Structure formats: C-alpha cells, structure tokens
C-alpha cells in the first residue's frame, strides 16, 4: 500500500507490478501520479501547470503580436 501524495488515500500498488516512470491515477482525487521509485513504491503528483502558457509570449513578440521595440530599431537601422 502507498498513499496518494495529493489526498493521502491508500492506493493498492504492488511494487513488483509497477515500473519507474509509470503513470497511475488516484481513485479518490483522480490526480495523475508518477512512480519515481519501486522498492518501496514512491509516487509524485504530476503537475498540471507545466508552464507552457508562460512560454507563449516569448520569441520577440509582445502580448498583442507586434514585434518589440528592439526589433523595430533594427528595422529602422537597416532602412537608413
């Protein structure tokens, strides 16, 4: 038996039947759990906030899709 790190409910996991990296779901809170150790079994909650949303604004564009001031300065220098 191992406890869910999110809600602490006991989960019946046989350490001989799981592998490191395997993904399980908690039957109580439905959290996705990764097996990070098998002897004894240790689970980590897989974060649902993986940071992809923060990376969308990167790449030289600002929030409204326009190029930043630095890019405009470069264009002006090329046109002179």
């Amino acid at each position: 038996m191992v406890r869910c790190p999110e809600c602490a409910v006991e989960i019946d996991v046989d350490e001989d039947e799981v592998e490191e990296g395997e993904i399980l779901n908690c039957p109580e809170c439905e959290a996705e759990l990764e097996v990070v150790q098998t002897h004894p079994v240790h689970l980590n909650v897989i974060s649902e906030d993986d940071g992809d949303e923060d990376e969308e604004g990167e790449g030289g564009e600002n929030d409204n899709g326009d190029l930043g001031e630095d890019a405009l300065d470069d264009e002006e220098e090329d046109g002179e």
Side-chain angles (χ1 to χ4, degrees), residues 10-30:
E10 285 190 351
I11 302 172
D12 185 18
V13 177
D14 185 352
E15 63 186 28
D16 294 325
E17 294 181 7
V18 294
E19 297 178 6
E20 285 186 28
E22 187 172 336
I23 306 300
L24 307 174
N25 289 322
C26 174
E28 185 69 26
C29 70
E30 299 181 1

Side-chain angles (χ1 to χ4, degrees), residues 20-50:
E20 285 186 28
E22 187 172 336
I23 306 300
L24 307 174
N25 289 322
C26 174
E28 185 69 26
C29 70
E30 299 181 1
E32 288 189 327
L33 308 170
E34 179 181 11
V35 178
V36 294
Q37 181 178 325
T38 56
H39 296 284
V41 175
H42 183 77
L43 305 173
N44 276 351
V45 176
I46 297 175
S47 176
E48 291 184 20
D49 180 24
D50 54 10

Side-chain angles (χ1 to χ4, degrees), residues 60 67-77:
L67 293 175
E69 288 182 26
D70 292 339
L72 293 177
D73 288 344
D74 291 343
E75 289 177 13
E76 289 173 3
E77 290 174 10

Side-chain angles (χ1 to χ4, degrees), residues 51-79:
D52 287 346
E53 295 173 12
D54 294 340
E55 296 173 8
E56 289 178 8
E58 295 178 10
E61 294 183 359
N62 59 22
D63 290 341
N64 63 6
D66 294 335
L67 293 175
E69 288 182 26
D70 292 339
L72 293 177
D73 288 344
D74 291 343
E75 289 177 13
E76 289 173 3
E77 290 174 10
D78 293 339

